[in-house]
Amino acid sequence: LGTYIGDFVIEQGIGVTISSLSEISELASSISPSALHSMRLNVAKYSSKVRSGHYTRSALLASLPIESL
């Protein structure tokens, strides 16, 4: 979809993106069981990092001026 999060989702294989809610039904019926399994495994890799605040902390640190570190 050309958004950072959409690109991240696709690149990491953790889900799919849509441009319209009208696409959901067709997309849901087209995802194979093996693709869904793969997405679930990939999500598990990121789950603990999201829950622990890893990405939030990284973003905040990246936004600080260098001299603040």
Side-chain angles (χ1 to χ4, degrees), residues 9-68:
V9 165
I10 298 301
E11 289 168 9
Q12 302 307 314
I14 59 174
V16 296
T17 61
I18 58 171
S19 57
S20 169
L21 291 176
S22 64
E23 299 174 20
I24 290 176
S25 180
E26 182 180 336
L27 181 65
S29 64
S30 70
I31 298 174
S32 70
S34 63
L36 186 57
H37 178 71
S38 179
M39 282 186 252
R40 285 181 177 147
L41 292 176
N42 292 335
V43 165
K45 294 176 190 176
Y46 289 95
S47 178
S48 65
K49 286 185 174 184
V50 170
R51 287 191 316 258
S52 72
H54 169 80
Y55 293 107
T56 302
R57 186 172 27 265
S58 295
L60 289 172
L61 288 174
S63 71
L64 294 174
I66 298 293
E67 57 273 0
S68 296

